[in-house]
Amino acid sequence: MKPSSPSLSRRSFTLAAASTVLAACTTAVTETAKVAPPVSETTAPPPIARPARPVRVGLALGGGAARGFAHIGVIKALEARNIHVDVVSGTSAGSVVAALYASGMNGFALNKLALQMDEASISDWAMPFSTRGFLHGVALQNYLNTTLRNRPIEKMAKPLGIVATDLHSGEAILFQRGNTGTAVRASCSLPSIFEPVKIGGHEYVDGGLVSPVPASFARKMGADFVIAVDISARPETAATVSQFDVLMQTFTIMGQSIKNYELEKYADLVIRPALNAMSGSDFGQRNAAILAGEEAVARMMPELERKLAAVHASFA
């Protein structure tokens, strides 16, 4: 048998080595493929699931003296329909109800408190009569602080904002910290009826002068959806049976443009209880006012549910 030529042997060895290298490469590629399959540059990574943020509902309660009892009916009706309020702002009479509600009281507790309230317990005549107001307002301040056990605004169960007007600058101020009774007293200090309230070197009067229904402040406090409650009388239907009613009518007329602008721009829903027959000085009709608030919510409920559902969908 002839020995194979050296060149043939080298060629065979080269082919065998090449086959071994190719086999090894193929195995390596196959094993790598099992661990990390290639991804096309055009393939997007899977989206990261983010939980939907809950919609924050704000309740803005407007001014209107004794007509403010209607706010309690609104709260009762919203709770009965499982509408949860996250933040609450109030002006004048609305600030009284807002403070009590923000403290953790539900609609029924507010209703009970309203029926037990003695008008004399929140009235303190300035004797001798002051040239700046007939009432001091201290009685109202003490009533709130006693009822709330001196809880400051920032310690409430719900975020609370109380609107007043700086007497000298004419600017609105939103109280979100400090003595609750004092802030409410400032918000309710109707000029020429209540004496201005001095806080931190500034004097404050009724918040209704600059924000009759504080929808913009509920929005400022973080509300995504604002329910505004307007209890002011329409000028053409308002009862003017007393000097107080005439003064209220004057402020209603002055605040019409401000109120309409604020509600149109910042409120998602406006609830207007039917209170045309009720005077702002008539504390004897508190039951009728509460019922009017409940009925107003019932009328607006289809629209409220539709608008809230749309907002919830946009947050999903």
Side-chain angles (χ1 to χ4, degrees), residues 119-158:
E119 185 181 352
S121 67
I122 59 173
S123 302
D124 51 353
W125 295 95
M127 298 296 289
F129 287 132
S130 167
T131 57
R132 308 189 79 197
F134 297 114
L135 298 172
H136 289 301
V138 176
L140 174 62
Q141 174 181 316
N142 291 341
Y143 174 82
L144 261 295
N145 283 336
T146 300
T147 303
L148 299 172
R149 298 181 180 180
N150 293 312
R151 288 173 67 182
I153 299 171
E154 67 271 18
K155 297 295 184 181
M156 295 298 175
K158 298 178 187 291

PDB file of all heavy atoms in Angstrom, residues 119-158:
ATOM      1  N   GLU A 119     -79.508  80.362  66.923  1.00  0.00           N
ATOM      2  CA  GLU A 119     -78.975  81.539  66.237  1.00  0.00           C
ATOM      3  C   GLU A 119     -78.262  82.480  67.199  1.00  0.00           C
ATOM      4  O   GLU A 119     -77.251  83.100  66.854  1.00  0.00           O
ATOM      5  CB  GLU A 119     -80.112  82.274  65.523  1.00  0.00           C
ATOM      6  CG  GLU A 119     -79.637  83.449  64.674  1.00  0.00           C
ATOM      7  CD  GLU A 119     -80.789  84.180  64.006  1.00  0.00           C
ATOM      8  OE1 GLU A 119     -81.934  83.688  64.073  1.00  0.00           O
ATOM      9  OE2 GLU A 119     -80.533  85.240  63.421  1.00  0.00           O
ATOM     10  N   ALA A 120     -78.753  82.554  68.420  1.00  0.00           N
ATOM     11  CA  ALA A 120     -78.149  83.461  69.411  1.00  0.00           C
ATOM     12  C   ALA A 120     -76.736  83.035  69.779  1.00  0.00           C
ATOM     13  O   ALA A 120     -75.906  83.870  70.185  1.00  0.00           O
ATOM     14  CB  ALA A 120     -79.023  83.509  70.665  1.00  0.00           C
ATOM     15  N   SER A 121     -76.439  81.731  69.616  1.00  0.00           N
ATOM     16  CA  SER A 121     -75.123  81.230  70.003  1.00  0.00           C
ATOM     17  C   SER A 121     -74.023  81.668  69.042  1.00  0.00           C
ATOM     18  O   SER A 121     -72.841  81.550  69.359  1.00  0.00           O
ATOM     19  CB  SER A 121     -75.141  79.702  70.096  1.00  0.00           C
ATOM     20  OG  SER A 121     -75.342  79.123  68.816  1.00  0.00           O
ATOM     21  N   ILE A 122     -74.414  82.163  67.874  1.00  0.00           N
ATOM     22  CA  ILE A 122     -73.401  82.610  66.908  1.00  0.00           C
ATOM     23  C   ILE A 122     -73.495  84.108  66.635  1.00  0.00           C
ATOM     24  O   ILE A 122     -72.885  84.623  65.703  1.00  0.00           O
ATOM     25  CB  ILE A 122     -73.515  81.827  65.577  1.00  0.00           C
ATOM     26  CG1 ILE A 122     -74.892  81.997  64.955  1.00  0.00           C
ATOM     27  CG2 ILE A 122     -73.200  80.362  65.797  1.00  0.00           C
ATOM     28  CD1 ILE A 122     -75.024  81.403  63.567  1.00  0.00           C
ATOM     29  N   SER A 123     -74.285  84.806  67.457  1.00  0.00           N
ATOM     30  CA  SER A 123     -74.456  86.252  67.276  1.00  0.00           C
ATOM     31  C   SER A 123     -73.966  86.977  68.525  1.00  0.00           C
ATOM     32  O   SER A 123     -74.345  86.627  69.648  1.00  0.00           O
ATOM     33  CB  SER A 123     -75.928  86.595  67.044  1.00  0.00           C
ATOM     34  OG  SER A 123     -76.433  85.915  65.914  1.00  0.00           O
ATOM     35  N   ASP A 124     -73.130  87.967  68.346  1.00  0.00           N
ATOM     36  CA  ASP A 124     -72.664  88.782  69.470  1.00  0.00           C
ATOM     37  C   ASP A 124     -72.646  90.246  69.050  1.00  0.00           C
ATOM     38  O   ASP A 124     -71.788  90.661  68.291  1.00  0.00           O
ATOM     39  CB  ASP A 124     -71.287  88.310  69.962  1.00  0.00           C
ATOM     40  CG  ASP A 124     -70.258  88.184  68.846  1.00  0.00           C
ATOM     41  OD1 ASP A 124     -70.647  88.326  67.657  1.00  0.00           O
ATOM     42  OD2 ASP A 124     -69.083  87.961  69.141  1.00  0.00           O
ATOM     43  N   TRP A 125     -73.606  90.989  69.536  1.00  0.00           N
ATOM     44  CA  TRP A 125     -73.744  92.379  69.143  1.00  0.00           C
ATOM     45  C   TRP A 125     -72.587  93.214  69.693  1.00  0.00           C
ATOM     46  O   TRP A 125     -72.137  93.010  70.818  1.00  0.00           O
ATOM     47  CB  TRP A 125     -75.073  92.950  69.662  1.00  0.00           C
ATOM     48  CG  TRP A 125     -76.258  92.298  69.029  1.00  0.00           C
ATOM     49  CD1 TRP A 125     -76.978  91.259  69.518  1.00  0.00           C
ATOM     50  CD2 TRP A 125     -76.813  92.623  67.763  1.00  0.00           C
ATOM     51  NE1 TRP A 125     -77.973  90.910  68.625  1.00  0.00           N
ATOM     52  CE2 TRP A 125     -77.896  91.725  67.540  1.00  0.00           C
ATOM     53  CE3 TRP A 125     -76.524  93.579  66.784  1.00  0.00           C
ATOM     54  CZ2 TRP A 125     -78.673  91.770  66.387  1.00  0.00           C
ATOM     55  CZ3 TRP A 125     -77.301  93.611  65.637  1.00  0.00           C
ATOM     56  CH2 TRP A 125     -78.355  92.724  65.451  1.00  0.00           C
ATOM     57  N   ALA A 126     -72.113  94.107  68.873  1.00  0.00           N
ATOM     58  CA  ALA A 126     -71.041  95.017  69.275  1.00  0.00           C
ATOM     59  C   ALA A 126     -71.649  96.156  70.093  1.00  0.00           C
ATOM     60  O   ALA A 126     -72.328  97.032  69.555  1.00  0.00           O
ATOM     61  CB  ALA A 126     -70.327  95.573  68.043  1.00  0.00           C
ATOM     62  N   MET A 127     -71.459  96.127  71.376  1.00  0.00           N
ATOM     63  CA  MET A 127     -72.038  97.132  72.281  1.00  0.00           C
ATOM     64  C   MET A 127     -70.905  97.874  73.006  1.00  0.00           C
ATOM     65  O   MET A 127     -70.083  97.225  73.667  1.00  0.00           O
ATOM     66  CB  MET A 127     -72.959  96.461  73.288  1.00  0.00           C
ATOM     67  CG  MET A 127     -74.145  95.744  72.639  1.00  0.00           C
ATOM     68  SD  MET A 127     -75.276  96.835  71.767  1.00  0.00           S
ATOM     69  CE  MET A 127     -76.034  97.682  73.142  1.00  0.00           C
ATOM     70  N   PRO A 128     -70.846  99.189  72.941  1.00  0.00           N
ATOM     71  CA  PRO A 128     -71.718 100.016  72.105  1.00  0.00           C
ATOM     72  C   PRO A 128     -71.459  99.744  70.624  1.00  0.00           C
ATOM     73  O   PRO A 128     -70.421  99.217  70.264  1.00  0.00           O
ATOM     74  CB  PRO A 128     -71.314 101.439  72.485  1.00  0.00           C
ATOM     75  CG  PRO A 128     -69.887 101.312  72.923  1.00  0.00           C
ATOM     76  CD  PRO A 128     -69.797  99.980  73.616  1.00  0.00           C
ATOM     77  N   PHE A 129     -72.418 100.086  69.786  1.00  0.00           N
ATOM     78  CA  PHE A 129     -72.308  99.766  68.369  1.00  0.00           C
ATOM     79  C   PHE A 129     -71.024 100.333  67.771  1.00  0.00           C
ATOM     80  O   PHE A 129     -70.681 101.495  67.960  1.00  0.00           O
ATOM     81  CB  PHE A 129     -73.513 100.305  67.590  1.00  0.00           C
ATOM     82  CG  PHE A 129     -74.773  99.527  67.838  1.00  0.00           C
ATOM     83  CD1 PHE A 129     -75.955 100.178  68.137  1.00  0.00           C
ATOM     84  CD2 PHE A 129     -74.775  98.146  67.765  1.00  0.00           C
ATOM     85  CE1 PHE A 129     -77.118  99.466  68.356  1.00  0.00           C
ATOM     86  CE2 PHE A 129     -75.937  97.423  67.985  1.00  0.00           C
ATOM     87  CZ  PHE A 129     -77.113  98.089  68.292  1.00  0.00           C
ATOM     88  N   SER A 130     -70.341  99.464  67.067  1.00  0.00           N
ATOM     89  CA  SER A 130     -69.108  99.863  66.408  1.00  0.00           C
ATOM     90  C   SER A 130     -69.435 100.504  65.068  1.00  0.00           C
ATOM     91  O   SER A 130     -70.438 100.170  64.427  1.00  0.00           O
ATOM     92  CB  SER A 130     -68.224  98.632  66.192  1.00  0.00           C
ATOM     93  OG  SER A 130     -67.168  98.933  65.311  1.00  0.00           O
ATOM     94  N   THR A 131     -68.604 101.430  64.660  1.00  0.00           N
ATOM     95  CA  THR A 131     -68.793 102.049  63.347  1.00  0.00           C
ATOM     96  C   THR A 131     -68.357 101.112  62.231  1.00  0.00           C
ATOM     97  O   THR A 131     -68.574 101.399  61.059  1.00  0.00           O
ATOM     98  CB  THR A 131     -67.979 103.352  63.252  1.00  0.00           C
ATOM     99  OG1 THR A 131     -66.600 103.046  63.512  1.00  0.00           O
ATOM    100  CG2 THR A 131     -68.483 104.379  64.259  1.00  0.00           C
ATOM    101  N   ARG A 132     -67.751  99.961  62.597  1.00  0.00           N
ATOM    102  CA  ARG A 132     -67.232  99.037  61.586  1.00  0.00           C
ATOM    103  C   ARG A 132     -68.093  97.789  61.450  1.00  0.00           C
ATOM    104  O   ARG A 132     -67.810  96.925  60.625  1.00  0.00           O
ATOM    105  CB  ARG A 132     -65.790  98.654  61.905  1.00  0.00           C
ATOM    106  CG  ARG A 132     -64.891  99.851  62.142  1.00  0.00           C
ATOM    107  CD  ARG A 132     -63.450  99.423  62.235  1.00  0.00           C
ATOM    108  NE  ARG A 132     -62.873  99.189  60.940  1.00  0.00           N
ATOM    109  CZ  ARG A 132     -61.748  98.516  60.722  1.00  0.00           C
ATOM    110  NH1 ARG A 132     -61.107  97.982  61.751  1.00  0.00           N
ATOM    111  NH2 ARG A 132     -61.277  98.350  59.510  1.00  0.00           N
ATOM    112  N   GLY A 133     -69.123  97.635  62.279  1.00  0.00           N
ATOM    113  CA  GLY A 133     -69.983  96.471  62.178  1.00  0.00           C
ATOM    114  C   GLY A 133     -70.856  96.308  63.402  1.00  0.00           C
ATOM    115  O   GLY A 133     -70.471  96.705  64.507  1.00  0.00           O
ATOM    116  N   PHE A 134     -72.043  95.722  63.212  1.00  0.00           N
ATOM    117  CA  PHE A 134     -72.968  95.511  64.318  1.00  0.00           C
ATOM    118  C   PHE A 134     -72.580  94.294  65.165  1.00  0.00           C
ATOM    119  O   PHE A 134     -72.913  94.212  66.335  1.00  0.00           O
ATOM    120  CB  PHE A 134     -74.394  95.303  63.787  1.00  0.00           C
ATOM    121  CG  PHE A 134     -74.944  96.497  63.069  1.00  0.00           C
ATOM    122  CD1 PHE A 134     -75.209  96.455  61.712  1.00  0.00           C
ATOM    123  CD2 PHE A 134     -75.195  97.678  63.760  1.00  0.00           C
ATOM    124  CE1 PHE A 134     -75.733  97.563  61.052  1.00  0.00           C
ATOM    125  CE2 PHE A 134     -75.715  98.794  63.110  1.00  0.00           C
ATOM    126  CZ  PHE A 134     -75.978  98.738  61.747  1.00  0.00           C
ATOM    127  N   LEU A 135     -71.896  93.320  64.533  1.00  0.00           N
ATOM    128  CA  LEU A 135     -71.544  92.075  65.213  1.00  0.00           C
ATOM    129  C   LEU A 135     -70.028  91.911  65.284  1.00  0.00           C
ATOM    130  O   LEU A 135     -69.319  92.239  64.325  1.00  0.00           O
ATOM    131  CB  LEU A 135     -72.145  90.871  64.480  1.00  0.00           C
ATOM    132  CG  LEU A 135     -73.674  90.814  64.382  1.00  0.00           C
ATOM    133  CD1 LEU A 135     -74.099  89.681  63.453  1.00  0.00           C
ATOM    134  CD2 LEU A 135     -74.294  90.627  65.764  1.00  0.00           C
ATOM    135  N   HIS A 136     -69.559  91.404  66.419  1.00  0.00           N
ATOM    136  CA  HIS A 136     -68.128  91.138  66.549  1.00  0.00           C
ATOM    137  C   HIS A 136     -67.712  89.921  65.712  1.00  0.00           C
ATOM    138  O   HIS A 136     -66.668  89.927  65.067  1.00  0.00           O
ATOM    139  CB  HIS A 136     -67.760  90.861  68.017  1.00  0.00           C
ATOM    140  CG  HIS A 136     -67.825  92.060  68.897  1.00  0.00           C
ATOM    141  ND1 HIS A 136     -67.077  93.194  68.676  1.00  0.00           N
ATOM    142  CD2 HIS A 136     -68.550  92.303  70.024  1.00  0.00           C
ATOM    143  CE1 HIS A 136     -67.337  94.091  69.621  1.00  0.00           C
ATOM    144  NE2 HIS A 136     -68.225  93.574  70.452  1.00  0.00           N
ATOM    145  N   GLY A 137     -68.506  88.861  65.781  1.00  0.00           N
ATOM    146  CA  GLY A 137     -68.155  87.619  65.091  1.00  0.00           C
ATOM    147  C   GLY A 137     -67.401  86.637  65.970  1.00  0.00           C
ATOM    148  O   GLY A 137     -67.132  85.513  65.566  1.00  0.00           O
ATOM    149  N   VAL A 138     -67.047  87.064  67.190  1.00  0.00           N
ATOM    150  CA  VAL A 138     -66.302  86.188  68.090  1.00  0.00           C
ATOM    151  C   VAL A 138     -67.148  84.986  68.501  1.00  0.00           C
ATOM    152  O   VAL A 138     -66.643  83.873  68.684  1.00  0.00           O
ATOM    153  CB  VAL A 138     -65.818  86.959  69.337  1.00  0.00           C
ATOM    154  CG1 VAL A 138     -65.121  86.025  70.319  1.00  0.00           C
ATOM    155  CG2 VAL A 138     -64.882  88.090  68.927  1.00  0.00           C
ATOM    156  N   ALA A 139     -68.473  85.182  68.642  1.00  0.00           N
ATOM    157  CA  ALA A 139     -69.354  84.081  69.029  1.00  0.00           C
ATOM    158  C   ALA A 139     -69.321  82.966  67.983  1.00  0.00           C
ATOM    159  O   ALA A 139     -69.276  81.783  68.324  1.00  0.00           O
ATOM    160  CB  ALA A 139     -70.781  84.592  69.222  1.00  0.00           C
ATOM    161  N   LEU A 140     -69.333  83.342  66.716  1.00  0.00           N
ATOM    162  CA  LEU A 140     -69.249  82.346  65.648  1.00  0.00           C
ATOM    163  C   LEU A 140     -67.907  81.621  65.704  1.00  0.00           C
ATOM    164  O   LEU A 140     -67.833  80.394  65.576  1.00  0.00           O
ATOM    165  CB  LEU A 140     -69.422  83.015  64.280  1.00  0.00           C
ATOM    166  CG  LEU A 140     -69.214  82.128  63.049  1.00  0.00           C
ATOM    167  CD1 LEU A 140     -70.233  81.004  63.018  1.00  0.00           C
ATOM    168  CD2 LEU A 140     -69.281  82.959  61.765  1.00  0.00           C
ATOM    169  N   GLN A 141     -66.846  82.377  65.897  1.00  0.00           N
ATOM    170  CA  GLN A 141     -65.498  81.797  66.010  1.00  0.00           C
ATOM    171  C   GLN A 141     -65.437  80.778  67.143  1.00  0.00           C
ATOM    172  O   GLN A 141     -64.936  79.656  66.964  1.00  0.00           O
ATOM    173  CB  GLN A 141     -64.499  82.924  66.251  1.00  0.00           C
ATOM    174  CG  GLN A 141     -63.079  82.466  66.541  1.00  0.00           C
ATOM    175  CD  GLN A 141     -62.156  83.647  66.802  1.00  0.00           C
ATOM    176  OE1 GLN A 141     -62.198  84.643  66.083  1.00  0.00           O
ATOM    177  NE2 GLN A 141     -61.324  83.556  67.826  1.00  0.00           N
ATOM    178  N   ASN A 142     -65.971  81.147  68.309  1.00  0.00           N
ATOM    179  CA  ASN A 142     -65.941  80.248  69.461  1.00  0.00           C
ATOM    180  C   ASN A 142     -66.820  79.021  69.250  1.00  0.00           C
ATOM    181  O   ASN A 142     -66.469  77.914  69.689  1.00  0.00           O
ATOM    182  CB  ASN A 142     -66.374  81.003  70.722  1.00  0.00           C
ATOM    183  CG  ASN A 142     -65.362  82.050  71.159  1.00  0.00           C
ATOM    184  OD1 ASN A 142     -64.198  81.988  70.762  1.00  0.00           O
ATOM    185  ND2 ASN A 142     -65.795  83.007  71.968  1.00  0.00           N
ATOM    186  N   TYR A 143     -67.958  79.218  68.605  1.00  0.00           N
ATOM    187  CA  TYR A 143     -68.859  78.093  68.338  1.00  0.00           C
ATOM    188  C   TYR A 143     -68.158  77.042  67.479  1.00  0.00           C
ATOM    189  O   TYR A 143     -68.215  75.838  67.765  1.00  0.00           O
ATOM    190  CB  TYR A 143     -70.124  78.590  67.632  1.00  0.00           C
ATOM    191  CG  TYR A 143     -71.041  77.476  67.191  1.00  0.00           C
ATOM    192  CD1 TYR A 143     -71.932  76.885  68.087  1.00  0.00           C
ATOM    193  CD2 TYR A 143     -71.017  77.012  65.880  1.00  0.00           C
ATOM    194  CE1 TYR A 143     -72.765  75.843  67.689  1.00  0.00           C
ATOM    195  CE2 TYR A 143     -71.849  75.975  65.472  1.00  0.00           C
ATOM    196  CZ  TYR A 143     -72.713  75.398  66.382  1.00  0.00           C
ATOM    197  OH  TYR A 143     -73.525  74.373  65.983  1.00  0.00           O
ATOM    198  N   LEU A 144     -67.482  77.491  66.427  1.00  0.00           N
ATOM    199  CA  LEU A 144     -66.771  76.549  65.542  1.00  0.00           C
ATOM    200  C   LEU A 144     -65.643  75.851  66.285  1.00  0.00           C
ATOM    201  O   LEU A 144     -65.488  74.621  66.206  1.00  0.00           O
ATOM    202  CB  LEU A 144     -66.215  77.291  64.322  1.00  0.00           C
ATOM    203  CG  LEU A 144     -67.010  77.232  63.018  1.00  0.00           C
ATOM    204  CD1 LEU A 144     -67.056  75.813  62.484  1.00  0.00           C
ATOM    205  CD2 LEU A 144     -68.400  77.777  63.181  1.00  0.00           C
ATOM    206  N   ASN A 145     -64.837  76.620  67.003  1.00  0.00           N
ATOM    207  CA  ASN A 145     -63.689  76.018  67.693  1.00  0.00           C
ATOM    208  C   ASN A 145     -64.135  75.035  68.772  1.00  0.00           C
ATOM    209  O   ASN A 145     -63.507  73.987  68.956  1.00  0.00           O
ATOM    210  CB  ASN A 145     -62.799  77.107  68.294  1.00  0.00           C
ATOM    211  CG  ASN A 145     -61.932  77.786  67.249  1.00  0.00           C
ATOM    212  OD1 ASN A 145     -61.648  77.209  66.204  1.00  0.00           O
ATOM    213  ND2 ASN A 145     -61.519  79.006  67.530  1.00  0.00           N
ATOM    214  N   THR A 146     -65.217  75.357  69.468  1.00  0.00           N
ATOM    215  CA  THR A 146     -65.726  74.439  70.489  1.00  0.00           C
ATOM    216  C   THR A 146     -66.255  73.165  69.853  1.00  0.00           C
ATOM    217  O   THR A 146     -65.965  72.051  70.310  1.00  0.00           O
ATOM    218  CB  THR A 146     -66.836  75.116  71.315  1.00  0.00           C
ATOM    219  OG1 THR A 146     -66.311  76.277  71.961  1.00  0.00           O
ATOM    220  CG2 THR A 146     -67.390  74.160  72.372  1.00  0.00           C
ATOM    221  N   THR A 147     -67.035  73.322  68.792  1.00  0.00           N
ATOM    222  CA  THR A 147     -67.612  72.161  68.103  1.00  0.00           C
ATOM    223  C   THR A 147     -66.520  71.271  67.521  1.00  0.00           C
ATOM    224  O   THR A 147     -66.627  70.033  67.543  1.00  0.00           O
ATOM    225  CB  THR A 147     -68.567  72.622  66.989  1.00  0.00           C
ATOM    226  OG1 THR A 147     -69.582  73.470  67.553  1.00  0.00           O
ATOM    227  CG2 THR A 147     -69.236  71.420  66.306  1.00  0.00           C
ATOM    228  N   LEU A 148     -65.465  71.881  67.008  1.00  0.00           N
ATOM    229  CA  LEU A 148     -64.374  71.136  66.368  1.00  0.00           C
ATOM    230  C   LEU A 148     -63.247  70.794  67.337  1.00  0.00           C
ATOM    231  O   LEU A 148     -62.212  70.266  66.906  1.00  0.00           O
ATOM    232  CB  LEU A 148     -63.812  71.957  65.198  1.00  0.00           C
ATOM    233  CG  LEU A 148     -64.801  72.279  64.075  1.00  0.00           C
ATOM    234  CD1 LEU A 148     -64.189  73.251  63.085  1.00  0.00           C
ATOM    235  CD2 LEU A 148     -65.248  71.009  63.378  1.00  0.00           C
ATOM    236  N   ARG A 149     -63.443  71.111  68.619  1.00  0.00           N
ATOM    237  CA  ARG A 149     -62.439  70.823  69.654  1.00  0.00           C
ATOM    238  C   ARG A 149     -61.083  71.446  69.312  1.00  0.00           C
ATOM    239  O   ARG A 149     -60.026  70.836  69.462  1.00  0.00           O
ATOM    240  CB  ARG A 149     -62.314  69.315  69.868  1.00  0.00           C
ATOM    241  CG  ARG A 149     -63.609  68.670  70.348  1.00  0.00           C
ATOM    242  CD  ARG A 149     -63.458  67.194  70.580  1.00  0.00           C
ATOM    243  NE  ARG A 149     -64.725  66.617  71.040  1.00  0.00           N
ATOM    244  CZ  ARG A 149     -64.902  65.326  71.327  1.00  0.00           C
ATOM    245  NH1 ARG A 149     -63.878  64.475  71.196  1.00  0.00           N
ATOM    246  NH2 ARG A 149     -66.074  64.884  71.731  1.00  0.00           N
ATOM    247  N   ASN A 150     -61.173  72.666  68.789  1.00  0.00           N
ATOM    248  CA  ASN A 150     -59.978  73.477  68.490  1.00  0.00           C
ATOM    249  C   ASN A 150     -59.033  72.844  67.474  1.00  0.00           C
ATOM    250  O   ASN A 150     -57.831  73.117  67.469  1.00  0.00           O
ATOM    251  CB  ASN A 150     -59.209  73.792  69.783  1.00  0.00           C
ATOM    252  CG  ASN A 150     -59.985  74.711  70.703  1.00  0.00           C
ATOM    253  OD1 ASN A 150     -60.509  75.738  70.275  1.00  0.00           O
ATOM    254  ND2 ASN A 150     -60.103  74.322  71.961  1.00  0.00           N
ATOM    255  N   ARG A 151     -59.569  72.034  66.586  1.00  0.00           N
ATOM    256  CA  ARG A 151     -58.718  71.451  65.537  1.00  0.00           C
ATOM    257  C   ARG A 151     -58.361  72.519  64.509  1.00  0.00           C
ATOM    258  O   ARG A 151     -59.240  73.184  63.963  1.00  0.00           O
ATOM    259  CB  ARG A 151     -59.436  70.291  64.833  1.00  0.00           C
ATOM    260  CG  ARG A 151     -59.547  69.040  65.686  1.00  0.00           C
ATOM    261  CD  ARG A 151     -60.409  68.005  65.016  1.00  0.00           C
ATOM    262  NE  ARG A 151     -59.802  67.487  63.815  1.00  0.00           N
ATOM    263  CZ  ARG A 151     -60.400  66.587  63.040  1.00  0.00           C
ATOM    264  NH1 ARG A 151     -61.612  66.141  63.332  1.00  0.00           N
ATOM    265  NH2 ARG A 151     -59.792  66.129  61.966  1.00  0.00           N
ATOM    266  N   PRO A 152     -57.083  72.691  64.208  1.00  0.00           N
ATOM    267  CA  PRO A 152     -56.692  73.664  63.182  1.00  0.00           C
ATOM    268  C   PRO A 152     -57.037  73.156  61.784  1.00  0.00           C
ATOM    269  O   PRO A 152     -57.315  71.968  61.591  1.00  0.00           O
ATOM    270  CB  PRO A 152     -55.179  73.792  63.377  1.00  0.00           C
ATOM    271  CG  PRO A 152     -54.766  72.475  63.961  1.00  0.00           C
ATOM    272  CD  PRO A 152     -55.912  72.025  64.816  1.00  0.00           C
ATOM    273  N   ILE A 153     -57.004  74.042  60.836  1.00  0.00           N
ATOM    274  CA  ILE A 153     -57.404  73.715  59.466  1.00  0.00           C
ATOM    275  C   ILE A 153     -56.598  72.556  58.901  1.00  0.00           C
ATOM    276  O   ILE A 153     -57.138  71.663  58.244  1.00  0.00           O
ATOM    277  CB  ILE A 153     -57.247  74.961  58.562  1.00  0.00           C
ATOM    278  CG1 ILE A 153     -58.142  76.091  59.050  1.00  0.00           C
ATOM    279  CG2 ILE A 153     -57.559  74.631  57.112  1.00  0.00           C
ATOM    280  CD1 ILE A 153     -57.899  77.428  58.365  1.00  0.00           C
ATOM    281  N   GLU A 154     -55.291  72.557  59.168  1.00  0.00           N
ATOM    282  CA  GLU A 154     -54.423  71.535  58.566  1.00  0.00           C
ATOM    283  C   GLU A 154     -54.585  70.159  59.196  1.00  0.00           C
ATOM    284  O   GLU A 154     -54.034  69.173  58.675  1.00  0.00           O
ATOM    285  CB  GLU A 154     -52.955  71.970  58.645  1.00  0.00           C
ATOM    286  CG  GLU A 154     -52.369  72.030  60.045  1.00  0.00           C
ATOM    287  CD  GLU A 154     -52.565  73.379  60.724  1.00  0.00           C
ATOM    288  OE1 GLU A 154     -53.439  74.160  60.261  1.00  0.00           O
ATOM    289  OE2 GLU A 154     -51.845  73.648  61.705  1.00  0.00           O
ATOM    290  N   LYS A 155     -55.357  70.040  60.271  1.00  0.00           N
ATOM    291  CA  LYS A 155     -55.549  68.753  60.934  1.00  0.00           C
ATOM    292  C   LYS A 155     -56.902  68.116  60.620  1.00  0.00           C
ATOM    293  O   LYS A 155     -57.301  67.143  61.257  1.00  0.00           O
ATOM    294  CB  LYS A 155     -55.408  68.913  62.454  1.00  0.00           C
ATOM    295  CG  LYS A 155     -54.030  69.363  62.931  1.00  0.00           C
ATOM    296  CD  LYS A 155     -52.969  68.314  62.646  1.00  0.00           C
ATOM    297  CE  LYS A 155     -51.620  68.733  63.218  1.00  0.00           C
ATOM    298  NZ  LYS A 155     -50.571  67.722  62.933  1.00  0.00           N
ATOM    299  N   MET A 156     -57.601  68.649  59.648  1.00  0.00           N
ATOM    300  CA  MET A 156     -58.924  68.120  59.308  1.00  0.00           C
ATOM    301  C   MET A 156     -58.815  66.771  58.590  1.00  0.00           C
ATOM    302  O   MET A 156     -57.774  66.421  58.023  1.00  0.00           O
ATOM    303  CB  MET A 156     -59.685  69.115  58.436  1.00  0.00           C
ATOM    304  CG  MET A 156     -60.021  70.420  59.150  1.00  0.00           C
ATOM    305  SD  MET A 156     -61.092  70.161  60.579  1.00  0.00           S
ATOM    306  CE  MET A 156     -61.166  71.823  61.258  1.00  0.00           C
ATOM    307  N   ALA A 157     -59.920  66.031  58.577  1.00  0.00           N
ATOM    308  CA  ALA A 157     -59.947  64.729  57.918  1.00  0.00           C
ATOM    309  C   ALA A 157     -59.847  64.872  56.402  1.00  0.00           C
ATOM    310  O   ALA A 157     -59.313  63.997  55.720  1.00  0.00           O
ATOM    311  CB  ALA A 157     -61.219  63.976  58.295  1.00  0.00           C
ATOM    312  N   LYS A 158     -60.368  65.963  55.867  1.00  0.00           N
ATOM    313  CA  LYS A 158     -60.253  66.267  54.439  1.00  0.00           C
ATOM    314  C   LYS A 158     -59.514  67.590  54.288  1.00  0.00           C
ATOM    315  O   LYS A 158     -59.658  68.483  55.149  1.00  0.00           O
ATOM    316  CB  LYS A 158     -61.638  66.419  53.784  1.00  0.00           C
ATOM    317  CG  LYS A 158     -62.534  65.203  53.811  1.00  0.00           C
ATOM    318  CD  LYS A 158     -63.875  65.537  53.163  1.00  0.00           C
ATOM    319  CE  LYS A 158     -64.876  64.411  53.325  1.00  0.00           C
ATOM    320  NZ  LYS A 158     -64.510  63.227  52.539  1.00  0.00           N
TER     321      LYS A 158
END
